[in-house]
């Protein structure tokens, strides 16, 4: 086999990851109940950046299938082997994508959450056509208008949806945002929901380890949780 998958790590690390994963699942269900969203599907994208296959495999063995990585290169070292073993894995790209990595990203990922500029949208259109892969995409909105952060400004969001969905015919399912670290996230979640509603988009990818329960009250359909499941990251991720 060209992509050998390491055996599941036995012992402490795996047990701890599974316990934390179960806790996140139950906190998610509780938050959904509290928000009056009992039984609605809310997807937990398990964010595995920096974490080894030994930590990822235990949750795969328990049936979790939806994962997020923020770097194409790192994902390429971990996921081809895992996807060969579990065919129904759904891998989300949640980090910034350079156009020169679009080809690899379209080949490996199943959802691109971070479409954030016209040049990238056009490049993805080309690559999907070339590879015959029509991936669902989310558009990243910079709700806090932070200069260092990716994403289109809220005032440009409607035009960007029109470009990506109506002109380029990308399969735009929804929106994604990362609120400023030092602000109350609710306002940002509410803003993202408002932009999604007026554009008739159903997916809202928002909420991370520290604020996913709040995101659920604001209508998140996808939360992206790393630390609360896998523990502190093993190396700094950007
Ligand atoms: C790392 C990351 C997450 C997960 O963050 P945690 O705080 O570890 O849950 C979510 N979304 C994006 C875009 C990330 O890069």
């Amino acid at each position: 086999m060209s992509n050998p998958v390491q055996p599941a790590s036995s012992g402490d690390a795996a047990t701890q990851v599974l316990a934390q994963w179960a806790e996140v699942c139950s906190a998610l269900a509780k938050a959904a109940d509290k928000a009056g969203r009992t039984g609605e599907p809310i997807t937990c994208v398990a964010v595995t950046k920096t974490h080894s296959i030994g930590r990822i495999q235990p949750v795969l063995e328990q049936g979790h299938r939806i994962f997020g990585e923020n770097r194409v290169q790192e994902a390429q070292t971990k996921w081809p082997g895992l996807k060969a073993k579990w065919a129904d894995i759904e891998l989300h790209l949640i980090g910034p994508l350079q156009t020169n990595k679009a080809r690899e990203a379209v080949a490996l990922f199943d959802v691109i959450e971070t479409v954030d500029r016209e040049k990238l949208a056009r490049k993805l259109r080309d690559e999907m056509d070339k590879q015959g892969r029509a991936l669902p995409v989310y558009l990243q909105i910079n709700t806090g208008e932070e200069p260092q952060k990716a994403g289109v400004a809220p005032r440009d969001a409607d035009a960007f949806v029109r470009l990506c969905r109506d002109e380029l015919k990308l399969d735009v399912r929804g929106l994604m945002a990362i609120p400023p670290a030092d602000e109350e996230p609710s306002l940002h979640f509410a803003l993202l929901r408002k932009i999604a509603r007026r554009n008739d988009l159903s997916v809202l990818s928002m909420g991370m380890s520290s604020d996913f329960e709040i995101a659920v009250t604001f209508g998140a359909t996808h939360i992206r949780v790393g630390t609360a499941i896998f523990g502190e990251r093993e190396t700094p991720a950007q």
Side-chain angles (χ1 to χ4, degrees), residues 24-206:
V24 168
C25 294
S26 97
L28 175 58
K30 252 185 231 157
D33 285 349
K34 220 175 124 191
R37 302 180 63 198
T38 308
E40 270 182 49
I42 302 174
T43 302
C44 176
V45 178
V47 177
T48 50
K49 64 189 187 204
T50 80
H51 293 296
S52 63
I53 287 172
R55 291 199 161 216
I56 300 168
Q57 197 145 302
V59 298
L60 272 163
E61 283 163 357
Q62 293 297 309
H64 195 90
R65 290 291 181 271
I66 305 178
F67 296 89
E69 286 278 350
N70 72 332
R71 290 179 177 195
V72 176
Q73 249 169 331
E74 184 188 341
Q76 282 176 318
T77 68
K78 284 146 71 174
W79 289 94
L82 292 169
K83 284 184 139 198
K85 190 163 175 192
W86 285 280
D88 54 347
I89 284 172
E90 182 181 302
L91 189 61
H92 291 222
L93 178 64
I94 62 166
L97 178 57
Q98 294 171 312
T99 46
N100 64 8
K101 296 268 173 60
R103 184 165 52 86
E104 286 99 326
V106 167
L108 178 62
F109 287 89
D110 302 293
V111 177
I112 310 253
E113 295 207 13
T114 46
V115 180
D116 63 355
R117 59 199 190 279
E118 178 170 349
K119 189 177 170 205
L120 176 62
R122 291 187 183 280
K123 181 76 181 173
L124 287 170
R125 176 72 276 158
D126 281 355
E127 279 305 330
M128 289 186 201
D129 289 344
K130 274 188 200 145
Q131 298 184 34
R133 270 171 73 75
L135 305 188
V137 302
Y138 311 162
L139 310 184
Q140 185 174 356
I141 310 297
N142 187 357
T143 58
E145 305 199 43
E146 296 171 281
Q148 82 285 8
K149 203 169 267 176
V152 302
R155 68 177 165 280
D156 299 328
D158 297 357
F160 194 55
V161 173
R162 282 196 298 274
L163 170 77
C164 293
R165 182 177 58 190
D166 306 335
E167 188 184 328
L168 298 176
K169 312 275 188 233
L170 289 170
D171 182 6
V172 179
R173 300 281 174 92
L175 305 178
M176 176 272 204
I178 311 167
D182 55 354
E183 283 181 33
E184 170 56 47
S186 310
L187 299 170
H188 297 276
F189 296 153
L191 175 58
L192 197 71
R193 177 175 61 184
K194 188 170 124 189
I195 298 170
R197 280 189 177 158
R198 72 179 180 231
N199 285 286
D200 220 1
L201 294 169
S202 57
V203 166
L204 281 173
S205 173
M206 58 191 197

Side-chain angles (χ1 to χ4, degrees), residues 177 179 189 205-213 215 220 222-225:
F189 296 153
S205 173
M206 58 191 197
M208 319 202 303
S209 290
S210 59
D211 56 16
F212 70 84
E213 285 143 308
H222 292 65
I223 60 170
R224 309 177 307 267
V225 180

